[in-house]
Amino acid sequence: MTENPADKISTTHDVEFNGDRVVKTFRTWERGEHLREWRGLTLLRRFAPGLGPDPISAELDAQPPRIVMSRVPGEPLGTRRATPEQVDALVTALERMHRCVPDSVLATADPQDTPADVAELLKKMLASRARPTHAAAPVVRRAFDAASELIGSDWATRAASIGEPSTIFGLCDGNLANYLWDGQAVHVIDFESAGSNDRAFDIADLVEHISLRRGSEIVADDLLKRLDLRADEHERVRAYRPAFAVFWLLMLLPDGPAHRHNPPGALEDQAEHLLAIL
């Protein structure tokens, strides 16, 4: 969902480019971000070579930790309207990443971002937000009330009970900036939050991320149709999506950390979107 469970937008690392190498120095590592990064890099090199950067060296016990990896060519998705070829390449990268790690190895990966974790995070976020005043657009007030109702419900339990979860290796961070287009294929970077996850939950995080809707302008339903999902997985994605939409509504509120990073109208647009998918 995010790089940090805390309700904030922050840079978790510094990146230095040195020819064909990238040096990543972590600013925060309390949650084992550096360990997940190194494990993600090594897993993809072993089971999906070429999909992500190659791990070169690591100073995992240093303070701050530092990792050296190969430099992946390409520009991040989410900065402009995506082409059909880019969407196809994104689907290919997702399918490969999700399915590449064998179950026996996946069982040793860190589990990430369970529905219960997100439900608890949303409760904490809601408690720190003021209800929009009458000065706010009516659609924002309606969306806030709908978000409060969802957060107070048992949405996580109900969604998780649909069908059978498919445990995969996921990025657990829906930001499209983590997917680089090199003109032919999409590569994956940034594994600070990566680990084992329910495929439907990981996909719901991606399709509801603000970088997909407002950056790439990828239509979520179009992307979902291209993914190889079972009928029950489609239902579980649909059940999880409102929670991630609520997350972004709370982030975009005037007292939310994403408010100043987005253009005017972003909050109202997110409010309309949340009400539509509810």
Side-chain angles (χ1 to χ4, degrees), residues 9-259:
I9 289 182
S10 61
T11 301
T12 61
H13 56 266
D14 295 313
V15 175
E16 177 186 349
F17 296 100
N18 186 5
D20 60 354
R21 296 186 174 192
V22 174
V23 181
K24 188 170 187 175
T25 304
F26 291 81
R27 292 184 180 180
T28 61
W29 58 94
E30 293 85 356
R31 296 173 53 242
E33 292 91 338
H34 58 309
L35 302 177
R36 281 195 296 275
E37 177 85 30
W38 185 249
R39 182 165 181 79
L41 291 170
T42 55
L43 283 176
L44 258 63
R45 179 179 63 177
R46 179 181 177 187
F47 297 110
L51 182 58
D54 286 330
I56 296 175
S57 64
E59 300 172 33
L60 301 179
D61 294 326
Q63 294 193 8
R66 184 177 295 106
I67 291 175
V68 181
M69 65 194 79
S70 65
R71 186 171 182 175
V72 175
E75 64 176 30
L77 299 177
T79 59
R80 65 184 71 181
R81 186 182 181 91
T83 66
E85 292 78 16
Q86 289 173 329
V87 178
D88 286 340
L90 174 61
V91 168
T92 299
L94 286 170
E95 295 282 6
R96 189 180 181 199
M97 176 174 62
H98 282 174
R99 304 183 189 282
C100 70
V101 181
D103 291 343
S104 58
V105 178
L106 193 59
T108 66
D110 293 334
Q112 292 298 310
D113 279 351
T114 67
D117 293 333
V118 173
E120 191 61 31
L121 172 62
L122 293 179
K123 289 178 182 178
K124 292 179 180 178
M125 292 176 69
L126 181 65
S128 68
R129 296 290 186 273
R131 187 181 187 278
T133 67
H134 288 290
V139 68
V140 173
R141 298 200 300 272
R142 292 198 303 272
F144 184 88
D145 291 341
S148 301
E149 184 176 347
L150 179 78
I151 292 171
S153 72
D154 62 346
W155 68 267
T157 301
R158 288 187 283 105
S161 68
I162 299 172
E164 190 69 28
S166 298
T167 304
I168 50 86
F169 180 77
L171 206 56
C172 307
D173 182 347
N175 193 345
L176 278 185
N178 297 325
Y179 298 88
L180 305 184
W181 166 251
D182 69 0
Q184 294 183 315
V186 165
H187 305 276
V188 186
I189 61 171
D190 286 346
F191 297 90
E192 302 100 327
S193 299
S196 62
N197 203 346
D198 174 20
R199 177 167 159 82
F201 199 62
D202 202 53
I203 290 173
D205 185 1
L206 174 67
V207 299
E208 285 302 322
H209 198 281
I210 195 169
S211 63
L212 185 133
R213 290 189 51 251
R214 295 188 60 84
S216 69
E217 300 182 41
I218 295 174
V219 178
D221 289 341
D222 179 45
L223 179 61
L224 292 172
K225 288 177 183 176
R226 301 186 192 210
L227 290 165
D228 184 18
L229 293 170
R230 302 188 312 262
D232 66 304
E233 288 178 318
H234 273 290
E235 288 298 318
R236 211 159 49 255
V237 170
R238 187 178 296 113
Y240 285 138
R241 285 179 62 184
F244 289 103
V246 164
F247 170 82
W248 281 107
L249 178 80
L250 297 178
M251 291 288 283
L252 288 165
L253 287 171
D255 54 354
H259 184 76

